[in-house]
Every structure is written in C-alpha cells, then in structure tokens.
Amino acid sequence: MNRRRWVGMLLLLVAIGLLVDSLWITAKAYVAQGLIAHAWQQTLHNNTPQKPWPWADTWPVGRLQVPSLGVDLYVLQGAQGNALAFGPGYLEGTAALNSGGSTVLAGHRDTHFNFLQQLHKGDGLLLTNSQGKQQRYVVSQHDVVNSQQQTLQLPQDPALLLVTCYPFQSLSSGPLRYVLTATAI
C-alpha cells in the first residue's frame, strides 16, 4: 500500500511538472510576441534595429501580412532556429526586404508558415521593411522541391519566396521544401 501511494504521488508530480512546463512555454511565447511587436515599433520610430529583449540574437526586420487570411507576422533577422522559434526569418544573402531583388523568408510549417497551404495563385501579400516601405506581392506559383537534389532558384524579377518544410502534416522533417513564390506588383 505504501508503495502504491509513492508511485501515485510521483505520477502526480510528473503530471504537474509537465503542465507547468507547457504553461511556461505558452507564456514565454505570448510575452515574446509582445516584446517583438514593441521592438518593431521602436525600429520604425528610431530607424535602427531594436532587439526585443537584451540577450536576443535576432530582431524584427519586417512585417508580413496576408489580409485575406488575417495573417500578421513579424519577420526576424536570420533563418536559423533561434529566430524561427519566434517567427519567420529573413534568409541572409538574399535581397534585402523590398529592395527590388528576390527575398527569401523561412518559417516552420507547423507554426508561423502553416498558412502557406491555404494560399493560391493570385492571392495577395504585403511586406513592410524596417524603413516602413511597403511592397505588395501576388502569389505566382508554388513548388515542392527536394533540398538534397536541387538548390533554391531565385527569380530575376523582384520576388518574395516563402520556404517551409513539407509535407505540412508530417511528424518528421525530410529534405522536401514547400516554396511559394510571390511576384512584386
């Protein structure tokens, strides 16, 4: 009987720990979005990059909106895991946002870029850079590519490429990437 009580208490403590951990992650994500939004406003106001918290290794460089879907996301500097945990990231080495070249943004398929599967040819996007310059884009194509067999092809004309893992509902990541191309209008 005493052993059952200890096992029951241990299981209860583990369950409470998992619940607290889940709530902590949710709370951090919520607070982070508020801090990123504040940093974005400060970036626009001061015309200099502002980190959302002092130890952050990323900062907002743009804002991506899809009015038809109610999507409103802050684009963060860098397309590595530390940035992608909080929002879509700008892939360094591609054209700066709204500079007249081809810009690549990356995001997780199960969070920030889950909406990509709902976009169709002709749908509109709006991208704002850190100087407040806005550029409208229209979805022109979408492809699934094997990242181990081909490199990302950047269009010659001004374009926005949104890249995420594929397929959307998969529990594991493989080499397939969903690439949505939107042309500047």
Side-chain angles (χ1 to χ4, degrees):
M1 183 77 161
N2 198 13
R3 182 177 271 174
R4 284 185 178 170
R5 177 177 271 163
W6 280 107
V7 170
M9 289 297 287
L10 180 63
L11 289 175
L12 179 62
L13 287 174
V14 168
I16 290 171
L18 291 173
L19 177 64
V20 167
D21 185 54
S22 174
L23 293 173
W24 174 247
I25 290 170
T26 302
K28 282 191 334 186
Y30 180 77
V31 170
Q33 291 306 304
L35 293 172
I36 292 169
H38 179 72
W40 172 248
Q41 291 304 319
Q42 293 299 310
T43 296
L44 291 176
H45 180 70
N46 299 330
N47 204 25
T48 58
Q50 301 291 312
K51 292 183 177 185
W53 45 89
W55 60 92
D57 48 8
T58 187
W59 53 90
V61 295
R63 188 173 188 177
L64 176 65
Q65 297 170 292
V66 183
S68 65
L69 298 177
V71 172
D72 190 356
L73 300 167
Y74 296 101
V75 178
L76 300 172
Q77 177 64 34
Q80 60 279 3
N82 56 337
L84 297 182
F86 298 103
Y90 160 69
L91 182 63
E92 296 175 31
T94 63
L97 280 66
N98 302 341
S99 67
S102 289
T103 302
V104 177
L105 304 180
H108 288 305
R109 67 176 171 215
D110 55 352
T111 56
H112 301 100
F113 270 10
N114 187 266
F115 75 92
L116 292 184
Q117 61 188 322
Q118 298 171 4
L119 287 176
H120 304 286
K121 194 171 185 176
D123 288 344
L125 298 93
L126 177 65
L127 183 64
T128 306
N129 67 14
S130 59
Q131 289 77 42
K133 179 182 175 188
Q134 294 186 328
Q135 176 67 57
R136 294 196 180 281
Y137 294 87
V138 63
V139 175
S140 54
Q141 71 182 62
H142 54 88
D143 301 291
V144 175
V145 299
N146 186 323
S147 63
Q148 294 175 338
Q149 296 176 353
Q150 64 187 107
T151 59
L152 190 61
Q153 300 297 314
L154 299 179
Q156 294 296 323
D157 296 326
L160 176 64
L161 282 76
L162 305 179
V163 180
T164 193
C165 292
Y166 187 84
F168 285 97
Q169 286 74 30
S170 180
L171 296 177
S172 62
S173 288
L176 297 180
R177 300 294 178 262
Y178 184 85
V179 180
L180 183 139
T181 303
T183 307
I185 55 172

